[in-house]
Amino acid sequence: MTTKTPAELSHSSQTDDLAATDIFPLLADDRRRAILHYLCQHTGAVSLGELAEQLAVREDNPTYDHYERILTDLHHTQLPKLVDGGLVRYDVDQETVRALDAIESVRPYLDLAFTDDCQ
């Protein structure tokens, strides 16, 4: 069963750009930016485990304990915020995450953020 929130339902029927007042709070967290950046680079659904593993490596702490904490954070905090923002679909039963069309609204900001991170 796929989890859908009212915000996701309203965004799924349209691909209008998100307002900056909606985008900036979603991008305020480093981990959410990394999630969106990773999803922008992949077509289709990504497993929750793969996403957590990539974040653990990115955060330079690829231990099992850190991986488990990331899984918990993804499930309870980060993914619900991104679902509410209309950027991703999180299928709890299948444990997969997929970017929605609205992610294109944040791509320019992600490109800038990750260019700055690399310098």
Side-chain angles (χ1 to χ4, degrees):
M1 177 175 172
T2 302
T3 302
K4 292 184 182 179
T5 65
E8 182 185 12
L9 292 173
S10 67
H11 286 291
S12 66
S13 63
Q14 58 181 316
T15 58
D16 295 341
D17 288 343
L18 296 172
T21 55
D22 296 325
I23 292 172
F24 292 135
L26 293 172
L27 298 180
D29 184 83
D30 290 338
R31 192 170 279 168
R32 280 196 300 272
R33 285 193 307 273
I35 292 165
L36 293 171
H37 186 258
Y38 188 76
L39 291 175
C40 280
Q41 297 176 6
H42 293 82
T43 304
V46 173
S47 76
L48 191 61
E50 175 186 346
L51 185 56
E53 184 178 325
Q54 291 301 315
L55 291 170
V57 169
R58 184 179 189 285
E59 294 172 8
D60 203 26
N61 189 359
T63 63
Y64 182 75
D65 186 49
H66 190 65
Y67 167 83
E68 287 290 317
R69 280 181 281 173
I70 290 172
L71 280 175
T72 301
D73 183 49
L74 289 174
H75 179 76
H76 291 288
T77 305
Q78 307 306 340
L79 293 177
K81 287 183 181 192
L82 294 173
V83 167
D84 287 344
L87 297 176
V88 303
R89 174 171 288 133
Y90 173 35
D91 186 326
V92 176
D93 294 333
Q94 296 293 317
E95 295 185 345
T96 59
V97 182
R98 173 187 304 271
L100 297 174
D101 291 341
I103 204 167
E104 291 303 318
S105 299
V106 301
R107 190 183 292 263
Y109 302 101
L110 290 172
D111 291 344
L112 285 173
F114 279 88
T115 298
D116 288 345
D117 286 349
C118 294
Q119 294 180 359

